[in-house]
Amino acid sequence: MSDMNTANETRFENVACPFCGLCCDDLTLTARGCRVDVVANGCELSRRGFGAPLPPATALARQATIQGDTCTLDEAIAYAADLLRQSRLPLFAGLGTDVNGARALTRMADRIGAILDHMNSDAMATNLAAVQDNGWITTTLTEVRNRVDTLVVFGAGIGSGLPRFYERCFSNVDTLFDNSTANRRLYLIGDEPLPAGVDPSQVVRIPSAPQNLVNVATTLRAILNGNTDRLTPTDGIPMADLQQLADRLRQSVYSVFTWVAGDLDFPHADLTIQTICNLSRDLNKKTRSAALPLGGNNGDHTFAQVCTWQTGYATRVNLATGHPEYDLHRYSAARLLAAKHVDLLLWVSAYAADRLPPAGELPTIVLGRASMQLDRDPKVFIPVATPGIDHEGHIYRCDGVATLPLKKLRSCDLPDVHTVVSRITEML
Ligand code: SF4
């Protein structure tokens, strides 16, 4: 990474972006005082994430508070430690942070016996339920970029949630093996908009309502496996399109099926994912095929990796029982809060100022990105630095195989999550 300083501006090349699961590592940014701008290779999400203004040092949104009154960082940390010490069953949620922050949080949860649940766990749980029941054969962003010849998208959410996916992994000109990407085909099953920058002649659209995706995938499996005599297609299943897709998949050298779990927001969406994954399983008998679960933001994949190596489970883990106890249903933050099974909430959101703790009367400690505007004063608010802008760190990509180093782009006196949580833990 080369950084260049002029009198007023520092320019950073090849910067990793933490604002979605792709973690693109080719951004060019400039920092001028506290202002950070994406000047090349970004997208709207990254421009918003890096460009969110840091409130002035004197602004309330940048002060630690206890019940709404400003205080020193030391006082806020001591008060948070008191609350945690008195809690019988605390819930640590949000958990939007980097590797070091996640490590500190799991360590503190283990010390005092807390339940951990990331803010994006509903989407994670959909994928986890699918892989627990069925297994899957997955690939990586790099493999897709270099090898895919047929990419099948189920549902939507890629263009909006991972804006540069098609640019970086489908329409890229260069591949490691000198394969031409001009012959690639993109099948959009669902309602994903036509991606900008993709040649429309490479795209086939097969509209489907989200709840019907499982029927479409099941029908496609039946065609691929030659079970058409038992097919009873229902209205809305485009048989001719699926027949053509099946032919293409049989001839493909490397097909990939992908989806964004957070976009499959309907009951039993894990069964849809299982069926999609079974398509690649079937195809692997004669050719090569894989699944690619996409999605992620706010450090969800990072937290899942750290939580897995620390506890054995990715999220929704109870560390209050003397051993890690995992249950996707019982340890959902929403369910625990609704049932009043926890007596304290620690909410962490270091990337997004607009990811607020759930509303309610529960005593709450918030470690939030400076400028977070809360509807009610929590017991403690500590503004924290943002990884990849205010401090260095590491973040996991959504395919789980690459950890990207994050850069400090400006000087900022805010503490990072790791520091705050470690200091609280020392007082427990
Ligand atoms: S696609 Fe995602 S990782 Fe890439 S620049 Fe945009 S927000 Fe950042």
Side-chain angles (χ1 to χ4, degrees), residues 158-172:
I158 296 179
S160 55
L162 303 103
R164 297 183 64 207
F165 172 73
Y166 298 107
E167 169 206 325
R168 285 175 61 84
C169 296
F170 184 82
S171 299
N172 48 300

Side-chain angles (χ1 to χ4, degrees), residues 89-107:
L89 185 55
L91 168 65
F92 292 3
L95 306 177
T97 180
D98 64 340
V99 167
N100 273 345
R103 291 177 68 147
L105 283 159
T106 50
R107 196 179 309 123

Side-chain angles (χ1 to χ4, degrees), residues 353-370:
D354 59 356
R355 292 297 294 266
L356 305 180
E361 297 305 313
L362 199 66
T364 302
I365 301 164
V366 177
L367 274 51
R369 182 166 179 172

Side-chain angles (χ1 to χ4, degrees), residues 16-27 41-47 50 161-165 168:
C17 170
F19 294 107
C20 87
L22 289 187
C23 301
C24 305
D25 56 357
D26 62 345
L27 277 68
N41 299 338
C43 67
E44 186 50 35
L45 277 186
S46 65
R47 282 188 283 276
F50 283 108
L162 303 103
R164 297 183 64 207
F165 172 73
R168 285 175 61 84

Side-chain angles (χ1 to χ4, degrees), residues 263-284:
D263 192 67
L264 303 179
D265 188 16
F266 49 84
H268 309 299
D270 53 305
L271 300 180
T272 302
I273 294 171
Q274 284 187 23
T275 312
I276 295 169
C277 292
N278 285 337
L279 282 163
S280 67
R281 179 178 295 177
D282 293 346
L283 283 161
N284 270 296

Side-chain angles (χ1 to χ4, degrees), residues 398-418:
C398 65
D399 56 8
V401 297
T403 322
L404 279 300
L406 298 174
K407 181 85 177 159
K408 176 182 168 86
L409 305 174
R410 66 185 173 201
S411 292
C412 167
D413 57 356
L414 293 170
D416 59 44
V417 170
H418 174 265

